[in-house]
Amino acid sequence: MNIFNPEHDLCLANGSPHFVPPDSALEFGRNCSGLNHWIEENTDDRIIPWGWDPYLKRQLQKKGIPDTLLPTDSEIAAIRELSHRRISIQARKYIDIALGQYKHLLTTPSGVETTSIAAIDRILENWGSIVLKAPWSGSGKGLRWVRKGEFYPSDRGWCGRTIERQGSVLIEKRFPVIQDFALLFHLIRGKVCFAGYSLFYNDNGMYRGNLLASDGLILRILGQWLAPELIEAGKKAVTSFIAEHIAGRYDGYLGVDMFVCQDDHSGGILLNPCVEINVRMTMGLLARKVYDRLGDGEHQARKCRTSKDSRPGENLGDGEYCVSVEYRPRFGEISQYIKDTDVLPLHDIGEENRYAVIIKPFSQS
């Protein structure tokens, strides 16, 4: 059984099996319910969700799914602990030691966890521009961008509420990002398997899309800014951290977000080798699997394809298309958009759909 539950991050942040996710998140999951089949096609008797959390477990129990097919409460608690953003700070410290010879090519480590508004004031004074993050959140939510002299009452209120609800706030220095990318992994019974690269685009933290491209093309694109040996050393360091601190506590997919940025002072190019660790499936993993299947023509006639004669999907050109999440507020608009546009939906589209995940030409992204 495959389950696309994009409300996962919100449920994990709340932590209660009785939490009621917002209708928009649940609707997104219902509208795009077939997505996980691109990642895991043959699940046998397993249940493969986007991510495990207390809410999902309770919903499956209410439907009569036996506990033998579900993770234990302690296993879900471990996933929640590993999903806390302090894990990214710990990973960054580990990676910095491993990449000591490349220190001059890395952003200054800036992750700080605090329970004090006064501490945020002091750090903001020193750094000038920061990103405030809730310990648990996803899809661009739980983030605040603040500049020196612009830490407004609304931002302070958000920090206070986050500290009250989740125990702390995390602070990172803001950098001018040139390109986001990620390393993808599959953890199986304590073994860490590399699953490929992801090249994606954000807009103020909100996900925009993933380039559909081979690992080779993604590495060539990153090679505009980063030396191949730095990328490989970063991959090795990240893999080692996951093997030592996460493998054995979690089985499933995992993504480590990074970015290339410009140094504020020298103008040189720097790498942030660990921004986020997503202990779940990711859109980058979805794009990786879609490309690997469609790019070589393996799945040229899936039932989710549109009825248009001209469409992507047959031997995708390397880097010519992207995966994108689309939303149209009125019923029927998404289905009409799919009919009128040269795009490929990755799941069945009904007249009631308002969300869709599609492949479209990269120039449209």
PDB file of all heavy atoms in Angstrom, residues 138-143 145 180 200-209:
ATOM      1  N   GLY A 138       7.668  21.929   7.275  1.00  0.00           N
ATOM      2  CA  GLY A 138       8.012  21.472   5.938  1.00  0.00           C
ATOM      3  C   GLY A 138       7.379  22.315   4.870  1.00  0.00           C
ATOM      4  O   GLY A 138       6.500  23.133   5.133  1.00  0.00           O
ATOM      5  N   SER A 139       7.850  22.113   3.632  1.00  0.00           N
ATOM      6  CA  SER A 139       7.294  22.772   2.447  1.00  0.00           C
ATOM      7  C   SER A 139       7.283  24.286   2.568  1.00  0.00           C
ATOM      8  O   SER A 139       6.324  24.957   2.186  1.00  0.00           O
ATOM      9  CB  SER A 139       5.871  22.256   2.173  1.00  0.00           C
ATOM     10  OG  SER A 139       5.877  20.858   2.023  1.00  0.00           O
ATOM     11  N   GLY A 140       8.355  24.841   3.133  1.00  0.00           N
ATOM     12  CA  GLY A 140       8.473  26.291   3.226  1.00  0.00           C
ATOM     13  C   GLY A 140       7.755  26.901   4.406  1.00  0.00           C
ATOM     14  O   GLY A 140       7.866  28.101   4.638  1.00  0.00           O
ATOM     15  N   LYS A 141       7.005  26.103   5.161  1.00  0.00           N
ATOM     16  CA  LYS A 141       6.319  26.637   6.336  1.00  0.00           C
ATOM     17  C   LYS A 141       7.277  26.578   7.528  1.00  0.00           C
ATOM     18  O   LYS A 141       8.242  25.837   7.546  1.00  0.00           O
ATOM     19  CB  LYS A 141       5.049  25.835   6.617  1.00  0.00           C
ATOM     20  CG  LYS A 141       4.056  25.861   5.452  1.00  0.00           C
ATOM     21  CD  LYS A 141       2.797  25.111   5.800  1.00  0.00           C
ATOM     22  CE  LYS A 141       1.852  25.033   4.604  1.00  0.00           C
ATOM     23  NZ  LYS A 141       1.462  26.359   4.121  1.00  0.00           N
ATOM     24  N   GLY A 142       6.972  27.371   8.542  1.00  0.00           N
ATOM     25  CA  GLY A 142       7.826  27.367   9.718  1.00  0.00           C
ATOM     26  C   GLY A 142       9.128  28.104   9.525  1.00  0.00           C
ATOM     27  O   GLY A 142      10.092  27.871  10.258  1.00  0.00           O
ATOM     28  N   LEU A 143       9.174  29.008   8.534  1.00  0.00           N
ATOM     29  CA  LEU A 143      10.377  29.794   8.261  1.00  0.00           C
ATOM     30  C   LEU A 143      10.041  31.281   8.305  1.00  0.00           C
ATOM     31  O   LEU A 143       8.970  31.697   7.869  1.00  0.00           O
ATOM     32  CB  LEU A 143      10.962  29.459   6.886  1.00  0.00           C
ATOM     33  CG  LEU A 143      11.261  27.996   6.563  1.00  0.00           C
ATOM     34  CD1 LEU A 143      11.834  27.886   5.159  1.00  0.00           C
ATOM     35  CD2 LEU A 143      12.221  27.396   7.575  1.00  0.00           C
ATOM     36  N   TRP A 145      12.123  35.125   7.487  1.00  0.00           N
ATOM     37  CA  TRP A 145      13.328  35.837   7.081  1.00  0.00           C
ATOM     38  C   TRP A 145      13.340  37.204   7.750  1.00  0.00           C
ATOM     39  O   TRP A 145      12.362  37.956   7.660  1.00  0.00           O
ATOM     40  CB  TRP A 145      13.369  35.999   5.562  1.00  0.00           C
ATOM     41  CG  TRP A 145      13.764  34.741   4.858  1.00  0.00           C
ATOM     42  CD1 TRP A 145      15.011  34.404   4.410  1.00  0.00           C
ATOM     43  CD2 TRP A 145      12.921  33.633   4.512  1.00  0.00           C
ATOM     44  NE1 TRP A 145      15.002  33.160   3.819  1.00  0.00           N
ATOM     45  CE2 TRP A 145      13.731  32.669   3.877  1.00  0.00           C
ATOM     46  CE3 TRP A 145      11.567  33.363   4.709  1.00  0.00           C
ATOM     47  CZ2 TRP A 145      13.225  31.448   3.412  1.00  0.00           C
ATOM     48  CZ3 TRP A 145      11.062  32.152   4.258  1.00  0.00           C
ATOM     49  CH2 TRP A 145      11.884  31.219   3.617  1.00  0.00           C
ATOM     50  N   ASP A 180      19.951  25.373  -5.333  1.00  0.00           N
ATOM     51  CA  ASP A 180      19.648  24.340  -4.346  1.00  0.00           C
ATOM     52  C   ASP A 180      19.835  22.959  -4.963  1.00  0.00           C
ATOM     53  O   ASP A 180      19.521  22.751  -6.146  1.00  0.00           O
ATOM     54  CB  ASP A 180      18.190  24.461  -3.877  1.00  0.00           C
ATOM     55  CG  ASP A 180      17.931  25.712  -3.063  1.00  0.00           C
ATOM     56  OD1 ASP A 180      18.445  25.796  -1.934  1.00  0.00           O
ATOM     57  OD2 ASP A 180      17.222  26.605  -3.564  1.00  0.00           O
ATOM     58  N   PHE A 200      16.835  21.292  -7.399  1.00  0.00           N
ATOM     59  CA  PHE A 200      15.499  21.847  -7.236  1.00  0.00           C
ATOM     60  C   PHE A 200      15.540  23.360  -7.062  1.00  0.00           C
ATOM     61  O   PHE A 200      16.611  23.967  -6.929  1.00  0.00           O
ATOM     62  CB  PHE A 200      14.777  21.184  -6.047  1.00  0.00           C
ATOM     63  CG  PHE A 200      15.418  21.417  -4.703  1.00  0.00           C
ATOM     64  CD1 PHE A 200      14.958  22.410  -3.852  1.00  0.00           C
ATOM     65  CD2 PHE A 200      16.468  20.620  -4.274  1.00  0.00           C
ATOM     66  CE1 PHE A 200      15.536  22.615  -2.601  1.00  0.00           C
ATOM     67  CE2 PHE A 200      17.053  20.808  -3.022  1.00  0.00           C
ATOM     68  CZ  PHE A 200      16.583  21.810  -2.190  1.00  0.00           C
ATOM     69  N   TYR A 201      14.342  23.959  -7.070  1.00  0.00           N
ATOM     70  CA  TYR A 201      14.205  25.411  -7.036  1.00  0.00           C
ATOM     71  C   TYR A 201      13.197  25.806  -5.971  1.00  0.00           C
ATOM     72  O   TYR A 201      12.130  25.204  -5.848  1.00  0.00           O
ATOM     73  CB  TYR A 201      13.768  25.932  -8.411  1.00  0.00           C
ATOM     74  CG  TYR A 201      14.767  25.565  -9.484  1.00  0.00           C
ATOM     75  CD1 TYR A 201      14.661  24.364 -10.178  1.00  0.00           C
ATOM     76  CD2 TYR A 201      15.853  26.400  -9.751  1.00  0.00           C
ATOM     77  CE1 TYR A 201      15.597  23.996 -11.130  1.00  0.00           C
ATOM     78  CE2 TYR A 201      16.796  26.038 -10.706  1.00  0.00           C
ATOM     79  CZ  TYR A 201      16.663  24.847 -11.391  1.00  0.00           C
ATOM     80  OH  TYR A 201      17.611  24.487 -12.315  1.00  0.00           O
ATOM     81  N   ASN A 202      13.555  26.812  -5.193  1.00  0.00           N
ATOM     82  CA  ASN A 202      12.700  27.348  -4.141  1.00  0.00           C
ATOM     83  C   ASN A 202      12.373  28.807  -4.409  1.00  0.00           C
ATOM     84  O   ASN A 202      13.104  29.493  -5.132  1.00  0.00           O
ATOM     85  CB  ASN A 202      13.397  27.255  -2.773  1.00  0.00           C
ATOM     86  CG  ASN A 202      13.336  25.856  -2.199  1.00  0.00           C
ATOM     87  OD1 ASN A 202      12.364  25.134  -2.386  1.00  0.00           O
ATOM     88  ND2 ASN A 202      14.396  25.454  -1.505  1.00  0.00           N
ATOM     89  N   ASP A 203      11.307  29.266  -3.798  1.00  0.00           N
ATOM     90  CA  ASP A 203      10.964  30.685  -3.802  1.00  0.00           C
ATOM     91  C   ASP A 203      10.652  31.067  -2.360  1.00  0.00           C
ATOM     92  O   ASP A 203       9.587  30.747  -1.846  1.00  0.00           O
ATOM     93  CB  ASP A 203       9.752  30.941  -4.709  1.00  0.00           C
ATOM     94  CG  ASP A 203       9.402  32.419  -4.811  1.00  0.00           C
ATOM     95  OD1 ASP A 203      10.166  33.251  -4.278  1.00  0.00           O
ATOM     96  OD2 ASP A 203       8.364  32.739  -5.432  1.00  0.00           O
ATOM     97  N   ASN A 204      11.633  31.717  -1.693  1.00  0.00           N
ATOM     98  CA  ASN A 204      11.497  32.038  -0.267  1.00  0.00           C
ATOM     99  C   ASN A 204      11.129  30.814   0.562  1.00  0.00           C
ATOM    100  O   ASN A 204      10.266  30.857   1.434  1.00  0.00           O
ATOM    101  CB  ASN A 204      10.463  33.139  -0.051  1.00  0.00           C
ATOM    102  CG  ASN A 204      11.002  34.510  -0.432  1.00  0.00           C
ATOM    103  OD1 ASN A 204      12.207  34.761  -0.323  1.00  0.00           O
ATOM    104  ND2 ASN A 204      10.127  35.385  -0.878  1.00  0.00           N
ATOM    105  N   GLY A 205      11.817  29.714   0.264  1.00  0.00           N
ATOM    106  CA  GLY A 205      11.593  28.495   1.023  1.00  0.00           C
ATOM    107  C   GLY A 205      10.472  27.621   0.508  1.00  0.00           C
ATOM    108  O   GLY A 205      10.356  26.460   0.903  1.00  0.00           O
ATOM    109  N   MET A 206       9.618  28.151  -0.373  1.00  0.00           N
ATOM    110  CA  MET A 206       8.518  27.364  -0.925  1.00  0.00           C
ATOM    111  C   MET A 206       9.004  26.594  -2.142  1.00  0.00           C
ATOM    112  O   MET A 206       9.620  27.153  -3.049  1.00  0.00           O
ATOM    113  CB  MET A 206       7.352  28.275  -1.322  1.00  0.00           C
ATOM    114  CG  MET A 206       6.676  28.951  -0.137  1.00  0.00           C
ATOM    115  SD  MET A 206       5.880  27.786   0.980  1.00  0.00           S
ATOM    116  CE  MET A 206       4.576  27.143  -0.060  1.00  0.00           C
ATOM    117  N   TYR A 207       8.708  25.306  -2.166  1.00  0.00           N
ATOM    118  CA  TYR A 207       9.142  24.443  -3.262  1.00  0.00           C
ATOM    119  C   TYR A 207       8.496  24.858  -4.583  1.00  0.00           C
ATOM    120  O   TYR A 207       7.294  25.070  -4.656  1.00  0.00           O
ATOM    121  CB  TYR A 207       8.768  22.996  -2.928  1.00  0.00           C
ATOM    122  CG  TYR A 207       9.053  22.015  -4.046  1.00  0.00           C
ATOM    123  CD1 TYR A 207      10.342  21.538  -4.261  1.00  0.00           C
ATOM    124  CD2 TYR A 207       8.032  21.573  -4.871  1.00  0.00           C
ATOM    125  CE1 TYR A 207      10.599  20.628  -5.276  1.00  0.00           C
ATOM    126  CE2 TYR A 207       8.277  20.661  -5.883  1.00  0.00           C
ATOM    127  CZ  TYR A 207       9.566  20.189  -6.085  1.00  0.00           C
ATOM    128  OH  TYR A 207       9.814  19.304  -7.097  1.00  0.00           O
ATOM    129  N   ARG A 208       9.314  24.972  -5.629  1.00  0.00           N
ATOM    130  CA  ARG A 208       8.805  25.311  -6.962  1.00  0.00           C
ATOM    131  C   ARG A 208       8.873  24.136  -7.916  1.00  0.00           C
ATOM    132  O   ARG A 208       7.949  23.915  -8.698  1.00  0.00           O
ATOM    133  CB  ARG A 208       9.604  26.473  -7.552  1.00  0.00           C
ATOM    134  CG  ARG A 208       9.300  27.838  -6.945  1.00  0.00           C
ATOM    135  CD  ARG A 208      10.139  28.910  -7.614  1.00  0.00           C
ATOM    136  NE  ARG A 208      10.020  28.867  -9.064  1.00  0.00           N
ATOM    137  CZ  ARG A 208      10.945  29.330  -9.916  1.00  0.00           C
ATOM    138  NH1 ARG A 208      12.067  29.851  -9.449  1.00  0.00           N
ATOM    139  NH2 ARG A 208      10.762  29.269 -11.216  1.00  0.00           N
ATOM    140  N   GLY A 209       9.972  23.401  -7.913  1.00  0.00           N
ATOM    141  CA  GLY A 209      10.064  22.295  -8.849  1.00  0.00           C
ATOM    142  C   GLY A 209      11.433  21.652  -8.840  1.00  0.00           C
ATOM    143  O   GLY A 209      12.391  22.182  -8.278  1.00  0.00           O
TER     144      GLY A 209
END
